[in-house]
Amino acid sequence: MISNLAVTTWSHTSYCDVWPAYYGQFKKFAPFFKHYMFINEINDDSPVGCVMIANDEQQKFSNRLVSSLEKVQENNVIYMQEDFILYDTVVRENISALNDYLNSSDYSFIRLIKSGVEGGDKISDQLNLFEVPNASRYLYSLQASIWKKRDLLKLYRYYRPKTMLDSELYGSHACRDLQIKGCYVFGGEPKRGLYHYDSAVFPFMSTAI
């Protein structure tokens, strides 16, 4: 385990067929994480060794995420979804160093993939960290990111998106309103698509932008 850091995975029981591959890759490439799953209901397919936190599917997305995060013991979380499937080794020391940097900074999150962000000042040569520009349309994104849990809760309690789509459409505006800022890891990895870059620190495959 990494002290005071846990992986929180947003999922739904209709995607339970993906869970063996998702958690199987974690077991293979990053077995040192504590896991929570935020789910609409707990059923017999629940992954072994994962703390399941059920939420009310009839509530809006912000209520469901906030109520789930409030039950997480750790101060920092890595936001994930069940289609963010690892394909290579995650180096524990790299994640620990990023987590320590986040805790000692005034940033709210470290995104573990460049995604669609363009530009941004380099803030750490050692960790290959760049600041997400304040004006970026991707200041907030539902990508794999280490978050200070208190700041993620603050964000969702503020703008209260009804759906996951709303959370991305309006999340960057809400971050600017709250002066929430973050950074991203980029070591010159190649693009995999129009907006996506590989990540040497947390290598995962995702259909999300």
Side-chain angles (χ1 to χ4, degrees):
M1 303 294 180
I2 297 178
S3 178
N4 232 352
L5 176 68
V7 172
T8 58
T9 302
W10 182 269
S11 192
H12 191 276
T13 50
S14 59
Y15 302 128
C16 65
D17 59 323
V18 180
W19 297 349
Y22 175 77
Y23 285 106
Q25 293 299 89
F26 262 106
K27 183 177 181 179
K28 180 178 181 180
F29 292 124
F32 46 82
F33 284 114
K34 180 178 179 178
H35 287 273
Y36 295 85
M37 179 180 280
F38 300 162
I39 192 71
N40 56 305
E41 64 179 10
I42 298 173
N43 63 18
D44 293 337
D45 295 312
S46 300
V48 176
C50 180
V51 179
M52 306 296 285
I53 299 177
N55 55 71
D56 185 354
E57 197 171 7
Q58 303 306 311
Q59 295 288 319
K60 58 186 178 182
F61 179 63
S62 58
N63 290 354
R64 298 172 67 190
L65 185 60
V66 165
S67 67
S68 298
L69 282 170
E70 288 175 336
K71 296 179 177 69
V72 172
Q73 296 178 355
E74 289 70 20
N75 289 334
N76 291 358
V77 300
I78 299 179
Y79 175 86
M80 294 284 284
Q81 293 170 195
E82 79 286 313
D83 65 337
F84 297 5
I85 298 177
L86 296 175
Y87 63 85
D88 205 348
T89 300
V90 177
V91 179
R92 177 175 181 162
E93 290 75 17
N94 291 344
I95 298 297
S96 293
L98 290 171
N99 194 48
D100 290 342
Y101 181 92
L102 182 63
N103 288 334
S104 65
S105 75
D106 61 352
Y107 293 106
S108 295
F109 66 86
I110 296 176
R111 195 167 300 150
L112 299 172
I113 190 169
K114 186 178 188 292
S115 191
V117 179
E118 295 297 336
D121 295 333
K122 195 168 191 178
I123 57 177
S124 172
D125 288 324
Q126 182 180 4
L127 298 175
N128 290 322
L129 282 177
F130 295 78
E131 185 169 280
V132 180
N134 182 260
S136 173
R137 63 183 292 192
Y138 300 112
L139 180 56
Y140 178 76
S141 179
L142 290 172
Q143 284 284 7
S145 306
I146 306 175
W147 271 91
K148 292 176 180 174
K149 185 180 67 175
R150 68 171 187 268
D151 290 344
L152 189 55
L153 283 168
K154 178 181 178 181
L155 177 65
Y156 271 84
R157 287 167 178 159
Y158 171 72
Y159 81 118
R160 297 177 292 178
K162 292 182 179 179
T163 66
M164 291 186 75
L165 178 60
D166 286 343
S167 72
E168 290 215 309
L169 286 175
Y170 308 116
S172 295
H173 298 291
C175 283
R176 283 187 280 271
D177 286 348
L178 295 174
Q179 298 183 330
I180 284 176
K181 61 180 184 176
C183 44
Y184 64 93
V185 182
F186 181 55
E189 296 82 24
K191 268 189 176 183
R192 287 188 286 117
L194 184 60
Y195 295 115
H196 295 79
Y197 290 82
D198 284 326
S199 172
V201 172
F202 206 82
F204 67 92
M205 298 174 286
S206 171
T207 58
I209 291 177

